[in-house]
Amino acid sequence: MSAQRLLRTRCFPRLPAAMLRRYSLDASNPLLRTQGYVNGRWLSAASDFPVVDPATGDEIARVSNCGPAEAKQAVDAAYEAFHSWKRNSAKERSVVLRKWFDLMMLYKEELAQIITYECGKPMSESLGEVAYSASFLEWFSEEARRVYGDFVPSPAKDRKILLLKQPVGVASIITPWNFPSAMISRKAAAALAAGCTVVVKPAEDTPLSALALAELAEKAGVPPGVFNVVPCSRETTPAVGEVLCTDPLVAKISFTGSTATGKVLLKMAADTVKKASMELGGHAPFIVFDSADVDQAVSGAMASKFRNCGQVVKQIADAVSRGATVLKGGKRLEGSFMEPTLLSDVTTEMICTKEETFGPLLPVIRFNTEEEALAIANASNVGLAGYFFSQDVSQIWRVMEALEVGMVGVNEGLLSTPEAAFGGVKQSGLGVEGSKYGIDEYLEVKYMCFGGLKP
Ligand code: ADP
């Protein structure tokens, strides 16, 4: 992996790199698995690929490089398993998911250690991700039992109308490196609750968290073929992606990642008209109005803007060349890390206000009116989350409704929770994850007309 790619994808703030190494990732971690997981078996491939600790650049594991043949094997296994998994009662599926959740909690330290090592987060953030990731298993273990259909009043006396929700089938799940556990469980928990089976292709940088989830799934009693993982290198990814997005046995693709990759996958999936959920890039506006409680706004900014990082260097250089001022930070730190950076005199022409930033970068734009702030925020062709701070109740309602985003934080910088719907509008994606709606992404509604009835 080139230093440039590391830098692009691996920057976390507040991280004394030495702190990360207090925890050593070694063979004693009972959840460390390095093979693919297909049909309930650990599967080697013809070659393997390295997983690198972004804090040091050291190789921490070599993982089986599953190719299109292994991906096809996983799809076939998932298809086979679908026919029995969907016939389990909702309560049976619920019990398995709950057990999986309990195991994640039991092994939270081991899971967090893996996240820290392959993804570069401090342990506190990794533990937070494990709790967040597990919360989807808990939530969807509960939602599994609430997949109701409808009994619809019929206009004809000799007919009854029923709407039945049924699982769509095999779902391909493709996820990014920044939340290597939660982005998988958020999708897989909903899919399994609905009665679907899945094939997961984790990000090439972070396959170990996915494989640790598979280990716990097996312990929890997830039957063979229901949850499969095909890790692969960056080079092998397009060939594996093609199988996962075009195989006729796959009914649905669910992706989290960049808008550009999402479009590629959508195009591939179009040929066989698969259902698709897309959680794509965002560029969250963060607006502080005159009436805002400034302390609250600062806490919100720290929480929402200084978590995951990357891609910032080219954006800072671009902004400075167009007249922005670096008020704080701006430099690269030891290893792959980046200083928290504050930019002023920013204009909407600069890349940092257009492209998604995975970095500790705050570009500040001054505005005079609410209309102006909304115009800047809504000018984007993506719309994932938006945040604003205000104490003016009328303004809060106006801005909440006018922001063109899928999620709004009012006087709040962190929104994610399994009870609420996570998803974007515009080119930020299709569908939502979490909430009572998340499971619908893995269900189809069948209209059943029961006719010829004698009054
Ligand atoms: P990032 O910039 O975070 O790496 P990507 O959208 O490129 O964002 O990656 C997100 C996920 O999409 C990763 O698992 C990556 O391997 C996968 N991916 C990228 N290109 C393809 C492809 N052609 N087919 C399938 N998966 C892909």
Side-chain angles (χ1 to χ4, degrees):
M1 186 184 299
S2 70
Q4 201 180 6
R5 168 144 173 84
L6 267 179
L7 185 64
R8 188 173 73 79
T9 60
R10 313 289 198 154
C11 301
F12 287 87
R14 300 175 264 141
L15 4 109
M19 214 182 89
L20 298 173
R21 287 189 286 277
R22 283 210 329 258
Y23 304 87
S24 67
L25 182 66
D26 54 42
S28 70
N29 187 315
L31 303 184
L32 189 59
R33 291 285 173 276
T34 56
Q35 291 165 296
Y37 183 72
V38 173
N39 206 14
R41 293 205 194 86
W42 297 100
L43 184 76
S44 290
S47 63
D48 50 26
F49 66 101
V51 181
V52 173
D53 174 354
T56 59
D58 293 345
E59 185 177 306
I60 52 172
R62 293 195 75 84
V63 170
S64 303
N65 186 14
C66 291
E70 286 80 16
K72 176 61 181 153
Q73 217 177 312
V75 167
D76 289 347
Y79 188 72
E80 183 72 27
F82 172 60
H83 297 292
S84 47
W85 180 246
K86 71 176 177 192
R87 277 195 217 101
N88 280 313
S89 70
K91 185 163 179 188
E92 285 165 333
R93 291 198 297 270
S94 165
V95 167
V96 172
L97 287 171
R98 173 73 208 196
K99 183 94 189 287
W100 196 0
F101 162 75
D102 291 339
L103 285 168
M104 280 194 78
M105 291 288 86
L106 191 65
Y107 286 98
K108 60 178 189 293
E109 294 275 340
E110 289 82 355
L111 290 166
Q113 188 189 69
I114 290 174
I115 294 175
T116 286
Y117 263 82
E118 67 176 351
C119 178
K121 295 182 196 191
M123 262 309 262
S124 56
E125 291 218 7
S126 297
L127 283 165
E129 179 176 346
V130 173
Y132 179 55
S133 176
S135 73
F136 288 100
L137 294 172
E138 182 186 40
W139 172 255
F140 283 112
S141 76
E142 294 156 359
E143 286 302 288
R145 299 175 67 186
R146 300 194 188 103
V147 179
Y148 305 133
D150 295 302
F151 187 84
V152 182
S154 167
K157 293 196 179 81
D158 63 345
R159 285 180 179 193
K160 300 288 178 196
I161 295 175
L162 295 103
L163 304 180
L164 175 72
K165 291 189 179 176
Q166 293 185 302
V168 295
V170 176
S172 291
I173 291 178
I174 298 176
T175 51
W177 63 271
N178 61 343
F179 286 90
S181 180
M183 294 303 99
I184 294 173
S185 62
R186 189 154 82 176
K187 299 172 189 307
L192 267 56
C196 294
T197 55
V198 303
V199 179
V200 178
K201 193 215 80 67
E204 52 276 8
D205 302 330
T206 56
L208 300 175
S209 295
L211 298 170
L213 280 178
E215 171 69 17
L216 293 183
E218 185 171 293
K219 275 192 165 58
V222 173
V226 171
F227 181 82
N228 305 277
V229 183
V230 285
C232 66
S233 69
R234 192 160 192 82
E235 293 69 37
T236 313
T237 287
V240 166
E242 192 178 333
V243 172
L244 298 187
C245 296
T246 63
D247 193 292
L249 300 186
V250 172
K252 149 112 203 171
I253 60 168
S254 181
F255 171 73
T256 297
S258 61
T259 301
T261 299
K263 289 176 185 176
V264 170
L265 304 188
L266 271 176
K267 281 178 191 153
M268 284 200 278
D271 244 4
T272 41
V273 194
K274 300 190 194 313
K275 258 175 99 81
S277 299
M278 293 276 138
E279 207 64 74
L280 307 177
H283 202 292
F286 189 102
I287 309 170
V288 183
F289 288 105
D290 277 347
S291 68
D293 173 333
V294 173
D295 288 343
Q296 208 175 44
V298 169
S299 307
M302 295 308 290
S304 79
K305 293 290 179 190
F306 289 106
R307 279 178 90 194
N308 289 353
C309 319
Q311 302 185 346
V312 288
V313 175
K314 110 180 155 192
Q315 297 184 347
I316 294 170
D318 167 79
V320 170
S321 77
R322 292 168 193 259
T325 311
V326 179
L327 287 185
K328 191 107 189 91
K331 289 194 211 69
R332 196 180 155 170
L333 297 170
E334 184 199 340
S336 314
F337 304 112
M338 182 73 211
E339 276 183 342
T341 300
L342 183 63
L343 291 179
S344 68
D345 306 318
V346 172
T347 63
T348 50
E349 282 77 53
M350 298 173 185
I351 292 176
C352 60
T353 66
K354 293 187 196 144
E355 288 186 12
E356 184 168 28
T357 306
F358 291 98
L361 173 65
L362 264 188
V364 179
I365 306 177
R366 282 175 198 272
F367 62 88
N368 292 312
T369 63
E370 182 182 306
E371 292 70 31
E372 195 188 336
L374 278 170
I376 295 170
N378 289 341
S380 178
N381 62 5
V382 292
L384 193 55
Y387 306 89
F388 68 95
F389 286 73
S390 170
Q391 297 295 324
D392 173 342
V393 175
S394 303
Q395 178 176 58
I396 286 175
W397 281 100
R398 281 194 305 272
V399 175
M400 225 168 19
E401 291 181 11
L403 274 177
E404 295 170 3
V405 294
M407 297 171 278
V408 186
V410 184
N411 298 328
E412 193 51 71
L414 280 184
L415 310 178
S416 299
T417 176
E419 292 82 0
F422 192 107
V425 298
K426 298 181 175 172
Q427 293 186 31
S428 284
L430 299 170
V432 296
E433 296 188 321
S435 81
K436 67 173 181 174
Y437 300 108
I439 201 164
D440 288 339
E441 302 283 321
Y442 298 89
L443 294 166
E444 265 158 352
V445 176
K446 183 185 277 177
Y447 162 34
M448 302 192 301
C449 177
F450 198 148
L453 299 173
K454 302 205 168 58

